[in-house]
Amino acid sequence: MAFKPVTLASASIFALMLSGAAHAQDAATAAPQVAAEDDAADIVVTGVRASIVGALNVRKQSTQIVDSIVSEDVGKLPDNNVVEALQRVTGIQVTDRAGGETAGITIRGLTDPLTTLNGRNIFTAAGTSFALQDISANLVKQIDVYKTRSADQLETGLAGQIDVQTRRPLDFDGFTISGLARGVYSELADKYNPNVSMLVSNRWETGIGDIGFLVNASYTKAQYRNQNLQAGAMVPFATENPTAGSGLTPLQRIFPGATNENWTPGLDAGLPTAPGSTLNINGVETPYYLSRDAVIASDLYGKRERPSINAALQWAPNDSSVYTAEVFYTGFRGETFNSLHFSFADWWGDLPADVGNSFELYEGTNIIKSRQLGSVAGFNSGDMATNKTDSYVYALNAKWDVGGNGKISADIAYQDSKNETSFFAIRTDRGPLDLNVDFNGGGGLPAYSFANQEVLTDASKWTVGNLFDSGTKTTGSALTMMLDGEYKWDEGFLRRIKAGFRYDNRNADSYVRDQGAGALTAAIPGSDLRRPVTLAELSAGNPFTNSGFFDGRANVPTSWVLADPRSMDKDAVRQLYRAVAPGLLLSDEMSFGHVFGINESNLAAYILADGELEIFGRPLQLQGGVRFVAIDTLYDYFDRGNGFARTTVSTGSEKFLPSFTARYNITDNLRIRFNYGETLRRPAFGDLNPNLSLTGDLSRIGFGSGSAGNANLRATHSKNMDLAIEWYFERNSAIYATAFQRKINGLVVPLTVREFIPNNYLPRNETYTEYFNITRPENASNGTLKGLELGLTYFPSYLPSFLDGLGFTGSATILDSEQTIPVVNNEGEITGTTKSAFFGVSKLSYNATLAYDKGPVGARLSYIWRKGFLNNNEGRSFANPIGMWRAPEKSLDFQLTLNVNEDIGITFDAVNITKAKQQNYYKFGDVGNPTEFNSSTLLIDRTFALGVRFKFD
């Protein structure tokens, strides 16, 4: 165990530091700081400009490379959550804009930023990170994005660190009350949603020092609608004149089956698309066409609520000490209802008389663009999901000045987080219908229509199918203690020594429940036979019929009927399904099975030193340090497929992580920085679970899918270098560039293997199968990420009076990435390697904000854009390329504030003004594009908000 020597070493370091502090009480008075450090005091601006210039000043003063968002005043970030606020920061790329908000975030293309709150690592339930979108922008004082790390910062997160800072009562001079109330209109949902916050803070001078108390609370609610239209995956079909001996009929779908070797699903580039390409069918080389297996429409209605509160009590008994006690709570309440319409497009029977004229190929390919099909099956699914999260952070912090130049800080925090989800879905099936479909009717959107389209909204034409009934529960807690100390010198080479240690004890548990049933049937009187039950006959709840799907932006059905679990008594439904699945449990009989339980102890210790010397009469500031990390983890895993049998694994690891930074002031306003550091990405707890999680053959391709973790995963390790040059050419203005490289070892990639798993735990309905494509994570890749960031903030000082206050801030990020990807056969054997870009990396992204701040008016017009990128690899089940690429993304947003007086302001916001869409398509290497290989299109909500905010102090 490394804990004991590290603790002793840390104690020795602190003893040396304190003795040094005592010895240096009479050191010479501080030498003046260089002009580049002091001139920030001259920046006195307010409003929108204050926010932008404040962020620039943070970068200027920091030793590390830091980009920030600074709230211009209490509650004045013009965004709904932290992720949305970050999208205008240099090097930040955001994605996943479903539900009227932005959720996904990367720093320089990497998806694992460390999330901290007031410097403390935070997490959600059994995860290793925190959902940043759960933090309301109303609570934020400042957000710092660290691109580089020093030894005194947490070591995890290859992407960097995002530190969210909340306000404390001693930030204010006295009594302060401020508030914000906004009404946000969602265009797709046609709903108005509230966004409110209130801060109350006061401080008192007492006989025992200054005491301050603050409460800051926020509540947001959103009702939204996600509309997604998708052309299904590619699979091979016979031609109109199949080769003799193949045994195929015209346009028959060619299934791989679980054991049939006609063709191999999930090849990296998919099956060849050249005209005349063949498959070996029954020993005969047989030409084939590629077409889609389905067309899919998802019309999701959602609502979420986020209550949050931050309370802090501070006591400053004298000028040299401050004690802070604070509580942070954030909650999430979510409910979604997905109205899913799925139609197969793969039936080869009931063909038109002239088979050759029933389809159209893309020119120069064997890919079918459009076709006519007879008697295709289809189903709808009413899917209801709920999500509830409660996360708490309780913390005590103390800071002491020791003499004139020494400081000590101590922090202890306890976190507790719980998440619980449920999923309840009922499928309904219809009889065969003729289908005319164009898989890309324009702009990547499929177009299709049915004969007798009125069937889609007739509840008597749909029969009640499968029931899916599941849920999860995850919990997490942590006790964290930190102690840091530093001592500074005002002259000489050595300017500061800092050391500290951190102890963290983390627990995480995950639980699951899962049951289901096949199609619902009713007894036929006087017979032993049973018949299907129609949706119109279903006694539980009321059917739901949507309307206005895709708002006329695609030539597809706009309305269909299905079961609506929102209107149902779930136990009444379970009782009905007991006729076909007697073992179904009711609410009071259900229990969760334990999936995993983890205890992780983490001890870290560090020491760093700052030095300064002169080169050519200018200061060169240096910082070097090393962080030592020791982790011991005890895992308990429980196998769902084996009565939740328990397996225990214990692991431990130790690592030294050096860091070095140099900052040289070429002139008072021109500087360069260099940083070298090493960081880690630890596996997610769920990725370590070796037991299987299975999904049945939902779309009838011949096998299901599944996933499992890997208990042997190790931490990914990155060696990082950054070189930046910054020119602060005017007060409030700067231009900067940063070149960087990440050499990453042990990247985790998914490997997929076909497995036979008999008598598994899945419900025995038509989706049941014993063959699965199982995907597991492996440390099987190494990669390099390099790039260049360019940024400009400019508030001209020479503009005429009516334009005075006009400014610009913007940045561009150019990225290049490459990682090795193992090539695996169906038996899981690695047969070679190939190259791929990192997931989530856009080669180019940029943002530009035109700001105006004069008198009572503050305004921003912002535009962000990112080039298309590899989002993920699909589960190797079909004949298309496995890469799922995201088309370029953009958003044009506007914020306006009109200050009625110095205390009250009226706000207006518009997000996604141009009604941008989110689109995916298949691509691997040179194969694939948005036209022939289009996949899905999600409409992104456009929102408008009108509000008022106030502050009285």
Side-chain angles (χ1 to χ4, degrees):
M1 294 287 291
F3 286 8
K4 184 175 180 180
V6 170
T7 304
L8 293 175
S10 299
S12 301
I13 290 167
F14 271 102
L16 289 171
M17 290 173 58
L18 292 176
S19 65
H23 179 72
Q25 290 295 314
D26 297 324
T29 57
Q33 295 291 316
V34 296
E37 302 297 322
D38 257 355
D39 58 7
D42 297 330
I43 301 175
V44 181
V45 291
T46 60
V48 171
R49 191 171 177 178
S51 175
I52 296 172
V53 173
L56 183 65
N57 199 40
V58 171
R59 180 185 181 101
K60 186 176 183 180
Q61 302 302 321
S62 175
T63 301
Q64 303 302 312
I65 297 176
V66 183
D67 286 300
S68 300
I69 295 174
V70 177
S71 177
E72 58 187 273
D73 208 335
V74 179
K76 289 190 178 180
L77 281 178
D79 303 280
N80 293 317
N81 63 50
V82 166
V83 176
E84 291 183 1
L86 286 167
Q87 64 185 329
R88 291 179 292 275
V89 170
T90 306
I92 292 286
Q93 300 169 320
V94 300
T95 189
D96 298 334
R97 297 175 180 272
E101 70 173 4
T102 302
I105 185 169
T106 66
I107 301 177
R108 296 172 170 174
L110 294 174
T111 58
D112 66 332
L114 169 70
T115 51
T116 56
L117 179 72
N118 296 321
R120 304 181 184 100
N121 190 18
I122 53 175
F123 54 81
T124 300
T128 54
S129 62
F130 189 82
L132 276 171
Q133 64 269 28
D134 286 348
I135 300 180
S136 169
N138 302 333
L139 302 183
V140 172
K141 173 185 177 182
Q142 180 173 317
I143 309 168
D144 292 327
V145 180
Y146 290 89
K147 313 290 185 60
T148 62
R149 234 85 64 85
S150 59
D152 60 342
Q153 293 177 279
L154 297 178
E155 68 279 353
T156 56
L158 306 188
Q161 177 183 350
I162 298 174
D163 183 44
V164 180
Q165 300 174 32
T166 57
R167 297 185 182 273
R168 272 70 178 273
L170 297 186
D171 293 344
F172 302 95
D173 293 331
F175 177 75
T176 300
I177 181 170
S178 69
L180 166 71
R182 299 167 71 219
V184 184
Y185 174 70
S186 166
E187 194 171 62
L188 289 177
D190 193 22
K191 299 289 185 180
Y192 292 91
N193 301 302
N195 181 333
V196 296
S197 68
M198 177 73 75
L199 177 146
V200 179
S201 180
N202 203 359
R203 62 186 294 170
W204 303 268
E205 294 182 3
T206 72
I208 58 172
D210 285 358
I211 295 176
F213 181 70
L214 174 148
V215 176
N216 194 1
S218 174
Y219 172 79
T220 64
K221 180 180 180 181
Q223 299 178 80
Y224 58 91
R225 186 179 181 185
N226 291 340
Q227 299 177 54
N228 192 75
L229 183 59
Q230 182 174 356
M234 285 184 171
V235 291
F237 291 79
T239 64
E240 66 272 34
N241 297 302
T243 303
S246 65
L248 298 174
T249 60
L251 298 186
Q252 179 178 346
R253 178 173 171 179
I254 306 172
F255 286 90
T259 58
N260 190 329
E261 297 301 327
N262 287 337
W263 62 281
T264 301
L267 299 175
D268 288 346
L271 293 181
T273 62
S277 298
T278 62
L279 295 171
N280 190 310
I281 309 295
N282 294 326
V284 178
E285 290 300 321
T286 305
Y288 63 89
Y289 293 140
L290 288 171
S291 189
R292 308 304 180 98
D293 66 338
V295 283
I296 308 157
S298 171
D299 195 0
L300 183 143
Y301 301 80
K303 59 182 178 182
R304 60 176 175 267
E305 298 176 81
R306 288 193 176 105
S308 54
I309 188 168
N310 179 50
L313 174 66
Q314 285 189 296
W315 173 40
N318 49 53
D319 293 338
S320 61
S321 59
V322 178
Y323 302 88
T324 304
E326 55 190 334
V327 178
F328 180 82
Y329 163 77
T330 183
F332 178 84
R333 305 290 183 269
E335 179 181 300
T336 61
F337 171 66
N338 188 19
S339 174
L340 177 68
H341 175 52
F342 187 107
S343 179
F344 291 97
D346 63 345
W347 179 237
W348 57 92
D350 299 332
L351 293 172
D354 188 351
V355 174
N357 288 328
S358 67
F359 63 91
E360 174 192 4
L361 297 175
Y362 286 105
E363 185 176 353
T365 75
N366 64 357
I367 302 173
I368 292 178
K369 180 183 187 297
S370 63
R371 63 184 305 190
Q372 302 171 33
L373 302 102
S375 303
V376 296
F379 65 85
N380 292 343
S381 187
D383 307 342
M384 179 181 176
T386 64
N387 191 333
K388 177 183 177 182
T389 303
D390 292 292
S391 299
Y392 299 86
V393 180
Y394 310 91
L396 294 172
N397 179 272
K399 295 181 179 179
W400 302 276
D401 291 339
V402 181
N405 294 341
K407 292 183 179 181
I408 295 176
S409 64
D411 194 274
I412 182 169
Y414 176 77
Q415 296 185 63
D416 179 70
S417 182
K418 298 179 181 178
N419 172 263
E420 189 164 339
T421 71
S422 69
F423 180 78
F424 195 90
I426 298 175
R427 280 196 181 186
T428 47
D429 300 291
R430 60 163 172 79
L433 289 176
D434 293 346
L435 172 67
N436 285 338
V437 58
D438 186 334
F439 296 111
N440 188 350
L445 294 169
Y448 59 92
S449 61
F450 299 92
N452 303 320
Q453 199 143 294
E454 64 275 6
V455 167
L456 300 182
T457 56
D458 186 346
S460 68
K461 303 297 184 182
W462 294 82
T463 58
V464 181
N466 298 338
L467 172 70
F468 301 88
D469 185 7
S470 61
T472 64
K473 180 173 68 174
T474 57
T475 63
S477 63
L479 177 65
T480 307
M481 295 178 286
M482 294 183 287
L483 183 63
D484 299 88
E486 65 176 73
Y487 188 80
K488 294 183 178 180
W489 290 268
D490 300 320
E491 58 185 16
F493 171 72
L494 186 62
R495 296 301 178 94
R496 184 177 69 139
I497 291 180
K498 184 179 181 182
F501 74 88
R502 176 181 183 270
Y503 173 75
D504 180 80
N505 188 278
R506 174 80 198 277
N507 292 292
D509 291 272
S510 178
Y511 305 83
V512 67
R513 63 172 181 83
D514 193 9
Q515 63 178 355
L520 188 61
T521 59
I524 299 175
S527 169
D528 293 332
L529 301 177
R530 302 181 66 84
R531 64 171 180 83
V533 174
T534 69
L535 179 59
E537 296 174 304
L538 185 64
S539 58
N542 300 304
F544 173 79
T545 303
N546 67 329
S547 61
F549 178 73
F550 249 70
D551 193 29
R553 296 165 72 174
N555 184 18
V556 296
T558 60
S559 185
W560 52 87
V561 68
L562 37 61
D564 186 356
R566 297 173 299 178
S567 66
M568 298 176 178
D569 180 321
K570 306 300 186 297
D571 278 340
V573 175
R574 294 177 181 120
Q575 289 278 17
L576 290 174
Y577 270 95
R578 277 182 166 179
V580 294
L584 280 181
L585 302 177
L586 304 182
S587 297
D588 59 356
E589 301 169 320
M590 293 179 180
S591 61
F592 287 96
H594 205 173
V595 176
F596 65 76
I598 291 179
N599 173 258
E600 182 177 85
S601 296
N602 181 339
L603 184 65
Y606 72 88
I607 184 169
L608 64 80
D610 290 354
E612 184 173 315
L613 53 85
E614 284 192 2
I615 297 180
F616 303 117
R618 306 298 303 173
L620 172 64
Q621 297 165 318
L622 304 171
Q623 183 182 93
V626 64
R627 188 176 185 90
F628 176 78
V629 184
I631 300 174
D632 288 292
T633 309
L634 181 68
Y635 311 88
D636 284 329
Y637 292 113
F638 303 86
D639 188 355
R640 295 173 64 188
N642 188 26
F644 290 94
R646 174 178 171 177
T647 300
T648 299
V649 179
S650 180
T651 64
S653 64
E654 300 173 358
K655 193 78 174 177
F656 284 96
L657 301 170
S659 64
F660 172 77
T661 299
R663 187 175 70 169
Y664 181 61
N665 295 325
I666 300 172
T667 70
D668 287 349
N669 296 319
L670 180 65
R671 68 178 50 171
I672 58 173
R673 305 174 195 250
F674 172 79
N675 176 271
Y676 173 84
E678 298 184 18
T679 51
L680 301 175
R681 174 193 291 166
R682 295 198 182 93
F685 292 143
D687 287 345
L688 295 166
N689 181 6
N691 297 315
L692 292 168
S693 176
L694 303 177
T695 301
D697 185 7
L698 299 180
S699 54
R700 304 172 192 173
I701 60 175
F703 50 88
S705 60
S707 62
N710 179 357
N712 296 316
L713 283 181
R714 65 185 188 277
T716 301
H717 180 219
S718 179
K719 297 180 179 180
N720 315 316
M721 288 190 292
D722 293 73
L723 179 63
I725 184 166
E726 302 161 5
W727 179 30
Y728 299 88
F729 58 90
E730 282 190 17
R731 194 183 72 173
N732 307 340
S733 300
I735 185 169
Y736 50 88
T738 305
F740 54 88
Q741 177 180 276
R742 306 284 183 264
K743 298 283 289 186
I744 307 175
N745 181 63
L747 283 162
V748 175
V749 292
L751 301 185
T752 302
V753 181
R754 181 74 55 81
E755 294 186 13
F756 176 62
I757 306 174
N759 301 316
N760 55 72
Y761 61 80
L762 292 179
R764 296 307 198 266
N765 54 39
E766 61 262 37
T767 67
Y768 179 80
T769 181
E770 295 184 334
Y771 290 91
F772 298 87
N773 274 7
I774 303 297
T775 300
R776 293 179 176 84
E778 296 278 356
N779 292 106
S781 174
N782 300 319
T784 300
L785 173 71
K786 55 189 177 182
L788 177 67
E789 292 177 346
L790 303 170
L792 170 66
T793 297
Y794 186 35
F795 280 92
S797 57
Y798 52 80
L799 295 177
S801 60
F802 70 96
L803 290 178
D804 184 28
L806 188 66
F808 172 86
T809 182
S811 64
T813 304
I814 303 166
L815 296 172
D816 182 53
S817 66
E818 183 179 84
Q819 67 179 108
T820 57
I821 301 291
V823 177
V824 182
N825 61 22
N826 276 348
E827 287 70 44
E829 300 166 335
I830 296 178
T831 59
T833 60
T834 185
K835 301 289 185 180
S836 171
F838 282 22
F839 295 120
V841 172
S842 292
K843 289 189 174 182
L844 174 64
S845 63
Y846 62 83
N847 65 77
T849 297
L850 188 65
Y852 181 76
D853 188 5
K854 185 175 178 62
V857 179
R860 309 181 200 214
L861 181 65
S862 302
Y863 182 74
I864 64 169
W865 182 91
R866 64 180 299 189
K867 192 174 182 179
F869 58 95
L870 174 60
N871 190 63
N872 62 280
N873 282 345
E874 67 158 18
R876 296 186 182 272
S877 299
F878 303 101
N880 43 254
I882 63 167
M884 185 67 74
W885 279 71
R886 187 71 56 81
E889 297 184 345
K890 60 187 176 182
S891 184
L892 179 65
D893 309 326
F894 177 70
Q895 295 99 27
L896 173 67
T897 299
L898 296 176
N899 294 311
V900 177
N901 54 43
E902 64 180 11
D903 299 318
I904 300 174
I906 306 298
T907 66
F908 171 77
D909 309 295
V911 177
N912 190 26
I913 295 171
T914 60
K915 300 173 73 169
K917 304 185 292 290
Q918 180 175 295
Q919 294 189 295
N920 291 332
Y921 60 95
Y922 299 108
K923 185 177 185 293
F924 186 91
D926 295 331
V927 180
N929 55 63
T931 303
E932 292 94 345
F933 296 83
N934 60 308
S935 177
S936 62
T937 297
L938 172 72
L939 299 185
I940 301 175
D941 206 0
R942 181 166 63 177
T943 62
F944 302 93
L946 187 64
V948 60
R949 62 190 185 196
F950 63 87
K951 178 186 176 184
F952 301 103
D953 51 14

PDB file of all heavy atoms in Angstrom, residues 473-489:
ATOM      1  N   LYS A 473     -31.566   1.714 -10.792  1.00  0.00           N
ATOM      2  CA  LYS A 473     -31.304   2.561  -9.627  1.00  0.00           C
ATOM      3  C   LYS A 473     -29.799   2.597  -9.427  1.00  0.00           C
ATOM      4  O   LYS A 473     -29.146   1.547  -9.411  1.00  0.00           O
ATOM      5  CB  LYS A 473     -31.995   2.033  -8.378  1.00  0.00           C
ATOM      6  CG  LYS A 473     -31.745   2.879  -7.133  1.00  0.00           C
ATOM      7  CD  LYS A 473     -32.590   2.408  -5.948  1.00  0.00           C
ATOM      8  CE  LYS A 473     -32.160   1.038  -5.452  1.00  0.00           C
ATOM      9  NZ  LYS A 473     -32.872   0.637  -4.221  1.00  0.00           N
ATOM     10  N   THR A 474     -29.220   3.790  -9.295  1.00  0.00           N
ATOM     11  CA  THR A 474     -27.796   3.927  -9.043  1.00  0.00           C
ATOM     12  C   THR A 474     -27.587   4.920  -7.907  1.00  0.00           C
ATOM     13  O   THR A 474     -28.334   5.893  -7.767  1.00  0.00           O
ATOM     14  CB  THR A 474     -27.035   4.411 -10.285  1.00  0.00           C
ATOM     15  OG1 THR A 474     -27.588   5.654 -10.726  1.00  0.00           O
ATOM     16  CG2 THR A 474     -27.128   3.397 -11.413  1.00  0.00           C
ATOM     17  N   THR A 475     -26.592   4.638  -7.084  1.00  0.00           N
ATOM     18  CA  THR A 475     -26.274   5.507  -5.957  1.00  0.00           C
ATOM     19  C   THR A 475     -24.775   5.725  -5.899  1.00  0.00           C
ATOM     20  O   THR A 475     -23.978   4.877  -6.323  1.00  0.00           O
ATOM     21  CB  THR A 475     -26.747   4.898  -4.622  1.00  0.00           C
ATOM     22  OG1 THR A 475     -26.043   3.667  -4.394  1.00  0.00           O
ATOM     23  CG2 THR A 475     -28.240   4.619  -4.642  1.00  0.00           C
ATOM     24  N   GLY A 476     -24.395   6.852  -5.365  1.00  0.00           N
ATOM     25  CA  GLY A 476     -22.983   7.143  -5.196  1.00  0.00           C
ATOM     26  C   GLY A 476     -22.771   8.065  -4.014  1.00  0.00           C
ATOM     27  O   GLY A 476     -23.616   8.908  -3.704  1.00  0.00           O
ATOM     28  N   SER A 477     -21.655   7.891  -3.341  1.00  0.00           N
ATOM     29  CA  SER A 477     -21.301   8.777  -2.235  1.00  0.00           C
ATOM     30  C   SER A 477     -19.783   8.881  -2.171  1.00  0.00           C
ATOM     31  O   SER A 477     -19.064   8.015  -2.678  1.00  0.00           O
ATOM     32  CB  SER A 477     -21.860   8.251  -0.909  1.00  0.00           C
ATOM     33  OG  SER A 477     -21.282   6.987  -0.585  1.00  0.00           O
ATOM     34  N   ALA A 478     -19.310   9.932  -1.532  1.00  0.00           N
ATOM     35  CA  ALA A 478     -17.863  10.111  -1.407  1.00  0.00           C
ATOM     36  C   ALA A 478     -17.564  11.022  -0.232  1.00  0.00           C
ATOM     37  O   ALA A 478     -18.285  11.995   0.035  1.00  0.00           O
ATOM     38  CB  ALA A 478     -17.279  10.702  -2.690  1.00  0.00           C
ATOM     39  N   LEU A 479     -16.502  10.694   0.477  1.00  0.00           N
ATOM     40  CA  LEU A 479     -15.941  11.554   1.505  1.00  0.00           C
ATOM     41  C   LEU A 479     -14.563  11.981   1.021  1.00  0.00           C
ATOM     42  O   LEU A 479     -13.717  11.136   0.710  1.00  0.00           O
ATOM     43  CB  LEU A 479     -15.829  10.820   2.835  1.00  0.00           C
ATOM     44  CG  LEU A 479     -15.169  11.611   3.977  1.00  0.00           C
ATOM     45  CD1 LEU A 479     -16.028  12.815   4.360  1.00  0.00           C
ATOM     46  CD2 LEU A 479     -14.921  10.713   5.178  1.00  0.00           C
ATOM     47  N   THR A 480     -14.347  13.287   0.949  1.00  0.00           N
ATOM     48  CA  THR A 480     -13.102  13.813   0.392  1.00  0.00           C
ATOM     49  C   THR A 480     -12.488  14.809   1.358  1.00  0.00           C
ATOM     50  O   THR A 480     -13.188  15.693   1.876  1.00  0.00           O
ATOM     51  CB  THR A 480     -13.358  14.510  -0.956  1.00  0.00           C
ATOM     52  OG1 THR A 480     -14.059  13.627  -1.820  1.00  0.00           O
ATOM     53  CG2 THR A 480     -12.049  14.926  -1.605  1.00  0.00           C
ATOM     54  N   MET A 481     -11.183  14.658   1.603  1.00  0.00           N
ATOM     55  CA  MET A 481     -10.445  15.580   2.469  1.00  0.00           C
ATOM     56  C   MET A 481      -9.228  16.090   1.723  1.00  0.00           C
ATOM     57  O   MET A 481      -8.522  15.311   1.064  1.00  0.00           O
ATOM     58  CB  MET A 481     -10.019  14.881   3.761  1.00  0.00           C
ATOM     59  CG  MET A 481     -11.189  14.464   4.640  1.00  0.00           C
ATOM     60  SD  MET A 481     -10.666  13.592   6.140  1.00  0.00           S
ATOM     61  CE  MET A 481     -10.200  12.008   5.446  1.00  0.00           C
ATOM     62  N   MET A 482      -8.987  17.383   1.825  1.00  0.00           N
ATOM     63  CA  MET A 482      -7.845  17.998   1.154  1.00  0.00           C
ATOM     64  C   MET A 482      -7.138  18.943   2.123  1.00  0.00           C
ATOM     65  O   MET A 482      -7.784  19.619   2.931  1.00  0.00           O
ATOM     66  CB  MET A 482      -8.292  18.770  -0.090  1.00  0.00           C
ATOM     67  CG  MET A 482      -8.860  17.901  -1.198  1.00  0.00           C
ATOM     68  SD  MET A 482      -9.291  18.839  -2.691  1.00  0.00           S
ATOM     69  CE  MET A 482     -10.775  19.696  -2.127  1.00  0.00           C
ATOM     70  N   LEU A 483      -5.821  18.989   2.023  1.00  0.00           N
ATOM     71  CA  LEU A 483      -5.009  19.920   2.796  1.00  0.00           C
ATOM     72  C   LEU A 483      -3.918  20.451   1.882  1.00  0.00           C
ATOM     73  O   LEU A 483      -3.199  19.674   1.247  1.00  0.00           O
ATOM     74  CB  LEU A 483      -4.390  19.227   4.010  1.00  0.00           C
ATOM     75  CG  LEU A 483      -3.562  20.112   4.951  1.00  0.00           C
ATOM     76  CD1 LEU A 483      -4.436  21.192   5.589  1.00  0.00           C
ATOM     77  CD2 LEU A 483      -2.901  19.267   6.029  1.00  0.00           C
ATOM     78  N   ASP A 484      -3.833  21.764   1.781  1.00  0.00           N
ATOM     79  CA  ASP A 484      -2.848  22.410   0.911  1.00  0.00           C
ATOM     80  C   ASP A 484      -2.146  23.520   1.688  1.00  0.00           C
ATOM     81  O   ASP A 484      -2.759  24.182   2.536  1.00  0.00           O
ATOM     82  CB  ASP A 484      -3.526  23.035  -0.318  1.00  0.00           C
ATOM     83  CG  ASP A 484      -4.243  22.012  -1.169  1.00  0.00           C
ATOM     84  OD1 ASP A 484      -5.432  21.745  -0.897  1.00  0.00           O
ATOM     85  OD2 ASP A 484      -3.622  21.488  -2.099  1.00  0.00           O
ATOM     86  N   GLY A 485      -0.880  23.711   1.374  1.00  0.00           N
ATOM     87  CA  GLY A 485      -0.130  24.803   1.976  1.00  0.00           C
ATOM     88  C   GLY A 485       0.880  25.365   0.998  1.00  0.00           C
ATOM     89  O   GLY A 485       1.365  24.654   0.117  1.00  0.00           O
ATOM     90  N   GLU A 486       1.167  26.647   1.145  1.00  0.00           N
ATOM     91  CA  GLU A 486       2.138  27.261   0.254  1.00  0.00           C
ATOM     92  C   GLU A 486       2.881  28.370   0.989  1.00  0.00           C
ATOM     93  O   GLU A 486       2.413  28.916   1.996  1.00  0.00           O
ATOM     94  CB  GLU A 486       1.472  27.828  -0.986  1.00  0.00           C
ATOM     95  CG  GLU A 486       0.524  28.988  -0.722  1.00  0.00           C
ATOM     96  CD  GLU A 486      -0.040  29.576  -2.012  1.00  0.00           C
ATOM     97  OE1 GLU A 486      -0.903  28.917  -2.636  1.00  0.00           O
ATOM     98  OE2 GLU A 486       0.383  30.688  -2.376  1.00  0.00           O
ATOM     99  N   TYR A 487       4.059  28.662   0.478  1.00  0.00           N
ATOM    100  CA  TYR A 487       4.830  29.790   1.002  1.00  0.00           C
ATOM    101  C   TYR A 487       5.458  30.523  -0.176  1.00  0.00           C
ATOM    102  O   TYR A 487       5.970  29.894  -1.110  1.00  0.00           O
ATOM    103  CB  TYR A 487       5.922  29.334   1.977  1.00  0.00           C
ATOM    104  CG  TYR A 487       6.584  30.510   2.656  1.00  0.00           C
ATOM    105  CD1 TYR A 487       5.964  31.131   3.728  1.00  0.00           C
ATOM    106  CD2 TYR A 487       7.787  31.008   2.190  1.00  0.00           C
ATOM    107  CE1 TYR A 487       6.534  32.236   4.333  1.00  0.00           C
ATOM    108  CE2 TYR A 487       8.371  32.124   2.782  1.00  0.00           C
ATOM    109  CZ  TYR A 487       7.740  32.732   3.851  1.00  0.00           C
ATOM    110  OH  TYR A 487       8.293  33.839   4.433  1.00  0.00           O
ATOM    111  N   LYS A 488       5.437  31.854  -0.131  1.00  0.00           N
ATOM    112  CA  LYS A 488       5.926  32.678  -1.232  1.00  0.00           C
ATOM    113  C   LYS A 488       7.129  33.500  -0.802  1.00  0.00           C
ATOM    114  O   LYS A 488       7.240  33.910   0.360  1.00  0.00           O
ATOM    115  CB  LYS A 488       4.825  33.624  -1.729  1.00  0.00           C
ATOM    116  CG  LYS A 488       3.646  32.932  -2.382  1.00  0.00           C
ATOM    117  CD  LYS A 488       2.649  33.953  -2.896  1.00  0.00           C
ATOM    118  CE  LYS A 488       1.486  33.278  -3.604  1.00  0.00           C
ATOM    119  NZ  LYS A 488       0.495  34.263  -4.123  1.00  0.00           N
ATOM    120  N   TRP A 489       8.011  33.752  -1.765  1.00  0.00           N
ATOM    121  CA  TRP A 489       9.111  34.694  -1.606  1.00  0.00           C
ATOM    122  C   TRP A 489       8.956  35.794  -2.648  1.00  0.00           C
ATOM    123  O   TRP A 489       8.473  35.551  -3.750  1.00  0.00           O
ATOM    124  CB  TRP A 489      10.455  33.988  -1.783  1.00  0.00           C
ATOM    125  CG  TRP A 489      10.783  33.048  -0.665  1.00  0.00           C
ATOM    126  CD1 TRP A 489      11.486  33.322   0.470  1.00  0.00           C
ATOM    127  CD2 TRP A 489      10.412  31.664  -0.572  1.00  0.00           C
ATOM    128  NE1 TRP A 489      11.589  32.204   1.271  1.00  0.00           N
ATOM    129  CE2 TRP A 489      10.937  31.164   0.656  1.00  0.00           C
ATOM    130  CE3 TRP A 489       9.691  30.788  -1.396  1.00  0.00           C
ATOM    131  CZ2 TRP A 489      10.778  29.862   1.065  1.00  0.00           C
ATOM    132  CZ3 TRP A 489       9.516  29.483  -0.980  1.00  0.00           C
ATOM    133  CH2 TRP A 489      10.054  29.024   0.239  1.00  0.00           C
TER     134      TRP A 489
END
